[in-house]
Amino acid sequence: MNLRELYENLACHTLRTNTTIKVRMRRLHFIIMIGVLLFYAFYPLTWFLFRRPSEALKRSVPQSVNGTTVWDGDTVTLRSMQSETIMQDQSGETKERLKEPVPQENTPSPNMDEQNLPAVLQKDMRNDAAAETTEMQTTVEEEREDPKMGDGEKVVPHDVMYDNQNEKEISTSSGDNVDVLLKFLTLEGSMEKTNCPEQNQSKTENSKEMLQESNADTSKSPDECWDDYIVTTGPGLGQEVFCPRWSFPAASYYTTVEPTVPFEVMWRVWEDLDADSESVLTPITIKKASLDFTVMSYNILAQDLLELNQHLYAHCPLEVLQWSYRCNLLLIEIKKWAPDILCLQEVQENHYHEHLHPVLSQMGYTCVYQRRTGTKTDGCAVCYQSSRFAEAAVSKLEFFRPETGLLDRHNVGVVLLLRPLVTTEAEVKEAGPPLCVANTHLLFNPRRGDVKLAQLAIMLSEIGAMIKSCKARGEHCNVVFCGDFNSIPHLPLYQFITTGELSYQGMPTWMISGQEDLSYKPSYHRLFAPLWPSSLGISDTCQYTTDINKTRGQNSGTRGYSHEFMLQLRFCPAACVRPGNLVLIPGVTDIKPDTSEDAQNYEKRFRDRLKHQVDLESVYKHVLPGSGFPEVTTLHSEGGTTVDYIFYSPQRPLTKKQRAYKTSAEKGLKLVGSLSLLSEDLLWSLNGLPNHIFPSDHLSLVARFQLELDDA
């Protein structure tokens, strides 16, 4: 029992001891943890408080030259000047101490009186040495700035001196300090003029002896402690100001990414009005109920007209005015938008036959060209894709009608009647309603609005004649009317096209197109009925009044002379000679006005209001969406405006009568999308027109339509 109790007591004692040790170890771990945390928390503060203040003080004090503080990274650093000043302060007594033998232990120094000079005298000596050092530094800086120096003069660059100073600071042993300090003193002495090499050598030897004496002396006074001023650590002013460049490896870890597609700015964007419309490039099959096609109208600027009016293009570089450069850009733009119908104005005849027609034929276009009459070399052209349309009729119009006394200008127009083509399983055939395509370039003269109205009336009469011929066969004919109309939007000529009516009585002729405001003039020509004589054969409703004009382009009666054959005889010399036996017929074979009753009745019938029966609407709204700025189709040095248009027959809602007869489809064309135009400010930011992007002084107009094939 005693052994058992002893064993139990021993076990209990051991358990208590282990428990006590564990508790003490936990307390020790906790104290150590608290100490570590306090060390990391207060270490930055203690490092900041107990760091050597002399280094921070010396780095923060700027250099003083002649009593003025100077910060200059190219001159000697602060520590060098301080070291040199202190060394020269102590050089006097060091030299005197080195002249005598080294004293032995317990031997009194014979120069004790000189070492025990009053403090005031030592201060004066130090001030004199500092003044001499300042004058030397100023002289060194002036010599460095002077480009003309003697052969025996040289200045040590700051970079070399600073590198040597850094080598001096790295040394730690006393022997190394001596060699480094000797090198430093040699460089400091080289900053002065080296005209006296004996004096410089004596200074170097004295400095060496002084440093050896100072290293041998174990008990230094605070005034003789050079290490605080010379052998310092840490970055200097030059290191703090100069930041070396990063050095990257020659081969990068990341592979260089090169763009595969060149960046291109899309100045003009396509605006879709119907997202459900099918692509124009989709082949047409008999199963389709509609046909999509694209129309482009473009005034390409004839080169002859450009050279004749060079003052309008003085802002353009010469290279963009060359025809070879412009023709290349023109064909690129046509290929880009790939229109099915292309209406061109100002097409120079030789350029058409030599450059444009061959390329357009290779692109699948069939072209009809009409040159202007007179001495002008340009004209109008209508091209269409032969795989999409077939030509049913063509009419080339000339507006020069000297017999009327009004139409004396050489403008032309072209009117085509096209039929859409659709493909079946093995053949291509005509299907759907015909399409009338008209293209013209009206007179530019802003003061002759009467001539513009007469030329427009001829175009509308020919379009109306083709519509009538289709209506006689039971077909509905849609119209696309393109061209350069030389009239700004919402003015009388524009309103006459879109509304079908114009009251012109007493209206100034310049107001018809609105290109110029001539209201400041005291007098100007006004319009009165009738606008044109009866010999023109066109009524005030823009319709032909005689059968001879309706059948123009066909064989003329029993004699079998075609209209084209008769046009070839216009400038025949025999046609200019009046036959002697020619019967004088009033109003026909003479130049006198027709005084017959029919002519007088015509003047009474010709009202002071023009009308036409062609339903037309403009593709463009002439205002940029969002910004509200006006759209511009042409621009030159005299300004920019809108004169080019694409008019079309729009789809109209079915009337009650049409719905009662259950008409299969709405008549007209549906506008699917168009190519956006630009503002005048944006075009001037591209250096105007033409430029390196747009080859003409006009912008191209592009629109896409949808034609219902079941409304024939």
Side-chain angles (χ1 to χ4, degrees):
M1 293 296 292
N2 294 331
L3 290 176
R4 183 176 182 180
E5 291 179 357
L6 181 62
Y7 177 77
E8 291 179 355
N9 293 336
L10 181 61
C12 292
H13 179 71
T14 303
L15 182 61
R16 289 196 210 97
T17 303
N18 293 337
T19 304
T20 304
I21 292 174
K22 289 182 180 180
V23 171
R24 290 179 179 178
M25 289 297 295
R26 290 177 182 176
R27 290 179 182 177
L28 181 61
H29 289 167
F30 180 76
I31 292 173
I32 293 174
M33 185 183 298
I34 295 298
V36 171
L37 293 177
L38 292 177
F39 173 78
Y40 281 103
F42 291 96
Y43 175 76
L45 181 61
T46 56
W47 179 84
F48 177 76
L49 294 177
F50 296 101
R51 191 187 177 199
R52 295 176 62 181
S54 59
E55 296 179 4
L57 180 61
K58 287 184 288 185
R59 285 198 300 269
S60 62
V61 177
Q63 183 177 353
S64 177
V65 178
N66 294 333
T68 305
T69 302
V70 177
W71 291 102
D72 191 354
D74 293 334
T75 59
V76 183
T77 57
L78 176 63
R79 287 173 296 176
S80 300
M81 288 302 304
Q82 289 176 345
S83 301
E84 182 180 357
T85 303
I86 298 173
M87 288 166 60
Q88 291 189 6
D89 290 342
Q90 299 178 357
S91 61
E93 58 184 69
T94 303
K95 289 179 180 180
E96 295 177 358
R97 187 168 64 248
L98 292 176
K99 287 180 181 179
E100 297 184 0
V102 179
Q104 300 295 330
E105 295 182 0
N106 300 327
T107 302
S109 176
N111 298 329
M112 188 65 68
D113 297 337
E114 295 180 1
Q115 294 179 359
N116 296 330
L117 293 175
V120 178
L121 182 58
Q122 293 182 2
K123 183 177 182 181
D124 294 338
M125 294 173 61
R126 293 174 182 175
N127 293 336
D128 296 339
E132 293 177 1
T133 304
T134 304
E135 292 177 1
M136 180 191 67
Q137 178 66 20
T138 306
T139 305
V140 170
E141 293 180 357
E142 292 177 354
E143 291 175 355
R144 293 186 62 182
E145 296 177 356
D146 190 2
K148 299 180 180 180
M149 300 179 65
D151 297 335
E153 299 175 358
K154 66 177 181 178
V155 176
V156 179
H158 173 262
D159 297 337
V160 177
M161 182 194 68
Y162 186 75
D163 295 339
N164 291 310
Q165 183 178 352
N166 289 338
E167 295 177 2
K168 170 179 67 62
E169 293 175 353
I170 297 174
S171 301
T172 54
S173 63
S174 61
D176 294 338
N177 289 340
V178 173
D179 296 335
V180 173
L181 290 176
L182 287 175
K183 186 185 297 184
F184 172 77
L185 293 176
T186 304
L187 293 175
E188 290 290 339
S190 65
M191 296 181 60
E192 301 178 357
K193 293 184 178 180
T194 59
N195 294 332
C196 298
E198 294 82 358
Q199 182 179 358
N200 295 335
Q201 183 177 2
S202 62
K203 289 183 178 181
T204 304
E205 293 176 356
N206 295 335
S207 300
K208 185 175 181 180
E209 294 175 359
M210 175 194 64
L211 291 175
Q212 292 177 354
E213 180 67 18
S214 62
N215 290 330
D217 190 4
T218 56
S219 58
K220 298 180 183 179
S221 62
D223 294 338
E224 296 178 356
C225 184
W226 289 10
D227 294 340
D228 294 339
Y229 297 93
I230 298 175
V231 185
T232 57
T233 58
L237 180 61
Q239 286 180 326
E240 293 178 354
V241 173
F242 177 74
C243 181
R245 295 184 178 180
W246 286 80
S247 59
F248 295 94
S252 177
Y253 175 78
Y254 300 98
T255 59
T256 58
V257 180
E258 297 182 357
T260 56
V261 180
F263 179 75
E264 181 182 1
V265 178
M266 296 297 296
W267 295 103
R268 304 182 63 186
V269 297
W270 184 264
E271 298 177 350
D272 285 320
L273 302 180
D274 187 2
D276 299 332
S277 62
E278 299 179 0
S279 174
V280 69
L281 301 178
T282 304
I284 303 172
T285 60
I286 196 65
K287 298 180 181 180
K288 288 179 63 66
S290 62
L291 168 68
D292 290 355
F293 64 95
T294 306
V295 178
M296 172 184 282
S297 179
Y298 205 169
N299 185 325
I300 63 174
L301 180 58
Q303 190 69 18
D304 289 345
L305 297 179
L306 184 150
E307 296 175 358
L308 190 62
N309 302 276
Q310 295 184 9
H311 64 282
L312 298 177
Y313 313 103
H315 60 279
C316 301
L318 294 179
E319 62 269 13
V320 303
L321 300 180
Q322 301 297 326
W323 167 247
S324 58
Y325 184 85
R326 298 196 303 114
C327 181
N328 185 38
L329 290 180
L330 172 66
L331 295 175
I332 290 175
E333 188 171 0
I334 294 175
K335 292 179 182 178
K336 179 178 181 179
W337 300 113
D340 299 300
I341 299 174
L342 179 62
C343 298
L344 302 177
Q345 304 90 36
E346 290 193 18
V347 184
Q348 195 165 308
E349 186 177 24
N350 61 330
H351 292 162
Y352 170 77
H353 292 293
E354 296 175 4
H355 304 110
L356 296 178
H357 185 261
V359 178
L360 293 176
S361 299
Q362 294 179 359
M363 296 171 61
Y365 288 99
T366 301
C367 301
V368 178
Y369 177 75
Q370 176 62 34
R371 176 184 166 176
R372 294 170 63 181
T373 56
T375 60
K376 302 297 183 180
T377 59
D378 63 290
C380 295
V382 177
C383 307
Y384 60 91
Q385 284 285 350
S386 55
S387 60
R388 306 295 303 276
F389 296 95
E391 182 181 309
V394 59
S395 179
K396 300 179 180 180
L397 302 176
E398 296 177 354
F399 302 152
F400 182 69
R401 311 285 177 87
E403 69 277 3
T404 62
L406 175 64
L407 295 171
D408 56 352
R409 303 306 172 95
H410 301 274
N411 299 90
V412 295
V414 179
V415 181
L416 268 70
L417 186 65
L418 303 177
R419 292 189 175 275
L421 298 178
V422 295
T423 58
T424 57
E425 295 179 355
E427 61 178 356
V428 179
K429 66 177 183 178
E430 299 179 0
L435 177 66
C436 179
V437 180
N439 182 28
T440 187
H441 188 183
L442 299 183
L443 178 67
F444 169 77
N445 193 340
R447 298 175 178 84
R448 297 303 303 271
D450 52 345
V451 178
K452 294 182 181 183
L453 286 176
Q455 293 177 350
L456 180 61
I458 296 175
M459 291 294 299
L460 292 174
S461 299
E462 189 66 29
I463 294 173
M466 288 194 175
I467 293 176
K468 275 188 177 182
S469 62
C470 294
K471 191 174 182 180
R473 295 190 295 267
E475 296 176 330
H476 173 75
C477 182
N478 297 302
V479 179
V480 175
F481 192 7
C482 305
D484 182 351
F485 294 84
N486 278 316
S487 176
I488 64 176
H490 310 298
L491 269 291
L493 190 140
Y494 177 89
Q495 293 291 344
F496 175 55
I497 297 175
T498 55
T499 63
E501 186 174 348
L502 174 62
S503 298
Y504 63 88
Q505 188 70 14
M507 183 179 295
T509 55
W510 60 265
M511 193 179 292
I512 296 298
S513 62
Q515 294 168 277
E516 292 183 5
D517 185 5
L518 303 178
S519 58
Y520 62 90
K521 289 191 172 183
S523 61
Y524 33 77
H525 184 65
R526 295 180 180 270
L527 299 178
F528 297 98
L531 283 180
W532 48 79
S534 60
S535 59
L536 186 59
I538 297 177
S539 66
D540 57 355
T541 58
C542 297
Q543 294 180 352
Y544 289 125
T545 57
T546 58
D547 295 337
I548 222 172
N549 289 311
K550 292 181 181 180
T551 59
R552 193 156 54 85
Q554 303 175 358
N555 293 338
S556 57
T558 58
R559 294 185 181 270
Y561 297 129
S562 64
H563 179 65
E564 286 76 14
F565 176 80
M566 296 300 296
L567 289 178
Q568 295 177 3
L569 303 177
R570 289 177 300 169
F571 305 107
C572 179
C576 299
V577 179
R578 184 182 180 87
N581 58 352
L582 182 64
V583 179
L584 295 178
I585 302 175
V588 178
T589 59
D590 60 353
I591 59 175
K592 296 180 182 180
D594 188 5
T595 58
S596 62
E597 183 178 358
D598 292 340
Q600 295 178 0
N601 294 334
Y602 173 78
E603 293 181 0
K604 293 180 181 179
R605 293 194 305 267
F606 203 104
R607 296 166 294 181
D608 58 356
R609 179 176 297 179
L610 289 178
K611 293 184 179 181
H612 70 84
Q613 305 298 326
V614 185
D615 186 14
L616 296 174
E617 183 177 312
S618 176
V619 169
Y620 293 90
K621 304 309 177 185
H622 318 303
V623 176
L624 294 175
S627 64
F629 292 108
E631 296 174 338
V632 170
T633 63
T634 180
L635 181 69
H636 47 71
S637 61
E638 295 183 357
T641 185
T642 295
V643 295
D644 305 277
Y645 304 94
I646 296 180
F647 298 103
Y648 71 102
S649 301
Q651 282 187 354
R652 304 295 184 185
L654 296 176
T655 62
K656 294 182 179 180
K657 185 177 180 180
Q658 291 174 338
R659 286 194 295 268
Y661 283 98
K662 297 182 180 180
T663 304
S664 59
E666 296 181 355
K667 300 180 183 300
L669 300 174
K670 180 180 180 181
L671 180 61
V672 176
S674 61
L675 183 61
S676 64
L677 292 173
L678 303 176
S679 64
E680 183 176 358
D681 295 339
L682 184 55
L683 288 176
W684 278 123
S685 67
L686 299 175
N687 199 28
L689 294 176
N691 52 45
H692 293 87
I693 302 175
F694 306 112
S696 174
D697 60 344
H698 292 249
L699 294 177
S700 61
L701 309 183
V702 185
R704 184 181 300 166
F705 301 99
Q706 187 178 83
L707 174 64
E708 298 292 338
L709 298 178
D710 296 333
D711 61 350

